[in-house]
Amino acid sequence: MSHLIHRDLRRTPPVAVCAFGMQVRDSAGHTYLDASGGAAVSSLGHGHPDVLAAMQAQLKVAAYAHTSFFTTEVAEELGERLAQDAPGDLNYAYLVSGGSEAIEAALKLARQYFVEHGETERRVFIARRQSYHGNTLGALALGGNEYRRRHFEPMLMDVARVSPCFEYRERRAGQDVNEYTANLLQELEAKILDLGPQHVIGFCAETVVGATSGAVPPTPGYFKGVRALCDKYGILMIADEVMCGMGRTGTLYAIEQEGVVPDIVALGKGLGAGYQPIGAVIARDHIVQRLRSGSGVFQHGHTYVGHPVAAAAALAVQKVIRRDSLLGAVTVRGAAFKRMLREAFGMHPHVGDIRGRGMLLALELVQDREAKRPFDPDLRLHAAVKDACMACGLMVYPMGGTIDGQRGDHVLLAPPFIASEADLQQIVARLSDGLERALRQLRPASGNPGPGRGG
């Protein structure tokens, strides 16, 4: 019997005993191809020698130094690298231990920015329906995933909501994409005015939506419009790049592709590529300068912020990405991967949409392709797909509740940046087998969803 509290309390997951490159092996001798980077984390794959060497070297120098007493050379170098690579004047980094911590720190930094200026009535954040920003209470409150929130609702702060930028599900038939985008921006402006701009701290959104809805990119011009509204009404723009940042979409910061500079960016996952728990908040000059010229402190902190071994791992990851030109590889291989997925699943009767950017892609699964009708959520198709793919030796990241936290299923794919074309072909083949296995299992219960199409 396991004495750990596992995610699923009714079964113990396989025991991982070895991980190398894109492979994970369990104690029963089964090997799995990691097509999701764990949870879009393992951008360099497992066991990268450069990262391991950097961690070992830092352990010999200083394994830990509390930031109320010391900084470290490696943390300073990582901060410099993140600032140099960030767009615009995003010149300051605050190192934390993961994505949820990064969001929490971003919320507090944004609030304190206005408090330092005497604007204490600023207390409201605006976020989007069906969003996800983390599992700590502040991050959970910011997120709009009703399934994840429902047990904890009485404990969560109020957050204003607007519609997601989710073209496949939300753009009406016959509606021009520019009109759709304009309507979203009009809705955001109306929400700001309804709340009173003097009460709003900021607007937060994932640049490319990750797990909750499955690799949903913004429509052209959406974030430029958001930036303009934030400037017009004097509120902050916060980009959540915990999943989509650090090269996952083909640029180090996903927001670079939108041609705007947010006031604050939250990072996690790929920053340390899974080698150590680490996240970061990146802030523009004016945010930090206001605090520096005011109270002189950021009223926030955790025991493990700025952890030197975590910083060493993240810095090594950044160096490998640059040295090996992996951003270009993500762009080229990502385009090839999307093409493979479209060739294999483009006419599949139960794949409604294939979307994403770079190495962050997803398939949305539907009962009826023409009507975009999802499967009955009681069937838990996403869970069946995960189990079936594991049986095929493939790790993918399926999720349910794609549409509204309850209905809809998708499969998120986020392979390491080091994936070869042969690896991607293998992913597509195994995914095809896994999807067909899952659909066959559901047919007796769902009244035959129709013939599948293998890849």
Side-chain angles (χ1 to χ4, degrees):
M1 181 185 77
S2 174
H3 292 277
L4 292 178
I5 300 175
H6 293 290
R7 292 181 180 232
D8 186 339
L9 295 176
R10 294 193 175 111
R11 62 178 180 178
T12 300
V15 178
V17 297
C18 181
F20 47 95
M22 290 187 56
Q23 309 283 338
V24 179
R25 183 178 299 150
D26 69 17
S27 57
H30 302 125
T31 301
Y32 307 89
L33 184 61
D34 187 356
S36 60
V41 173
S42 301
S43 54
L44 298 187
H46 305 276
H48 197 289
D50 292 45
V51 185
L52 299 180
M55 292 169 61
Q56 186 177 36
Q58 183 59 43
L59 281 167
K60 292 178 180 178
V61 175
Y64 173 68
H66 196 281
T67 54
S68 67
F69 299 96
F70 299 102
T71 186
T72 57
E73 291 181 355
V74 70
E76 294 289 343
E77 189 177 350
L78 176 60
E80 182 179 3
R81 171 57 57 88
L82 291 171
Q84 286 178 349
D85 290 339
D89 62 341
L90 284 160
N91 286 326
Y92 292 92
Y94 185 85
L95 304 179
V96 294
S97 299
S100 292
E101 275 193 29
I103 291 294
E104 295 282 345
L107 297 181
K108 293 173 77 173
L109 181 61
R111 163 69 179 173
Q112 189 177 341
Y113 170 77
F114 287 111
V115 170
E116 295 274 352
H117 196 245
E119 298 179 68
T120 56
E121 72 279 8
R122 300 257 193 177
R123 58 179 180 79
V124 181
F125 288 95
I126 302 174
R128 304 189 293 191
R129 284 190 291 102
Q130 194 52 9
S131 57
Y132 179 66
H133 299 292
N135 260 332
T136 50
L137 288 177
L140 190 63
L142 188 66
N145 186 305
E146 295 305 319
Y147 173 77
R148 293 178 184 265
R149 291 167 50 93
R150 62 185 181 188
H151 291 314
F152 312 102
E153 196 76 42
M155 304 168 65
L156 304 180
M157 67 178 178
D158 292 332
V159 171
R161 301 268 172 236
V162 293
S163 298
C165 185
F166 192 173
E167 187 178 2
Y168 174 70
R169 281 288 170 191
E170 304 257 339
R171 182 161 70 94
R172 300 189 308 272
Q175 184 182 36
D176 178 79
V177 65
N178 294 324
E179 179 188 358
Y180 170 67
T181 303
N183 287 348
L184 290 174
L185 296 172
Q186 289 165 9
E187 179 187 358
L188 176 57
E189 183 168 28
K191 180 64 69 174
I192 294 169
L193 293 172
D194 181 57
L195 294 166
Q198 73 277 12
H199 297 133
V200 179
I201 296 174
F203 173 74
C204 182
E206 293 173 271
T207 309
V208 178
V209 178
T212 295
S213 297
V216 180
T219 54
Y222 173 76
F223 277 110
K224 284 188 176 180
V226 167
R227 177 73 271 181
L229 288 174
C230 289
D231 291 340
K232 180 177 180 180
Y233 293 107
I235 69 176
L236 299 181
M237 178 181 173
I238 303 170
D240 180 348
E241 299 213 347
V242 170
M243 182 173 278
C244 65
M246 294 293 96
R248 176 59 59 187
T249 66
T251 49
L252 202 59
Y253 293 80
I255 200 69
E256 294 176 58
Q257 298 174 52
E258 305 307 314
V260 300
V261 180
D263 297 291
I264 298 172
V265 180
L267 301 173
K269 296 187 184 292
L271 176 58
Y275 288 90
Q276 284 281 277
I278 188 168
V281 174
I282 315 297
R284 292 180 66 182
D285 288 347
H286 66 96
I287 303 292
V288 177
Q289 293 299 345
R290 178 174 288 184
L291 272 63
R292 178 178 286 140
S293 62
S295 68
V297 297
F298 175 31
Q299 288 285 354
H300 184 64
H302 292 288
T303 302
Y304 290 108
V305 299
H307 194 280
V309 181
L315 182 60
V317 168
Q318 299 308 308
K319 289 179 177 178
V320 169
I321 287 173
R322 176 175 291 192
R323 183 197 68 200
D324 296 350
S325 302
L326 291 180
L327 294 180
V330 169
T331 300
V332 172
R333 294 274 164 74
F337 192 25
K338 185 181 283 189
R339 184 175 65 252
M340 293 176 197
L341 291 170
R342 286 178 171 162
E343 289 171 355
F345 301 105
M347 298 302 294
H348 194 292
H350 300 301
V351 176
D353 193 29
I354 301 170
R355 55 178 177 255
R357 284 185 183 170
M359 288 289 204
L360 185 64
L361 301 174
L363 310 181
E364 183 165 340
L365 307 176
V366 293
Q367 170 84 52
D368 185 307
R369 181 186 171 95
E370 293 302 316
K372 301 183 183 179
R373 187 174 73 249
F375 283 89
D376 183 340
D378 290 339
L379 295 173
R380 291 179 53 79
L381 175 59
H382 59 283
V385 170
K386 180 178 179 180
D387 289 345
C389 285
M390 286 288 279
C392 294
L394 182 69
M395 294 164 56
V396 295
Y397 193 171
M399 289 287 288
T402 308
I403 302 169
D404 55 12
Q406 181 179 7
R407 299 176 302 130
D409 302 272
H410 67 266
V411 180
L412 189 72
L413 301 165
F417 303 169
I418 61 170
S420 67
E421 194 153 326
D423 291 326
L424 300 177
Q425 289 169 346
Q426 190 65 232
I427 290 170
V428 173
R430 294 189 193 185
L431 176 58
S432 181
D433 289 343
L435 179 57
E436 292 312 309
R437 286 191 189 195
L439 290 170
R440 282 198 300 271
Q441 292 170 12
L442 295 183
R443 277 171 191 139
S446 60
N448 189 2
R453 177 178 178 269

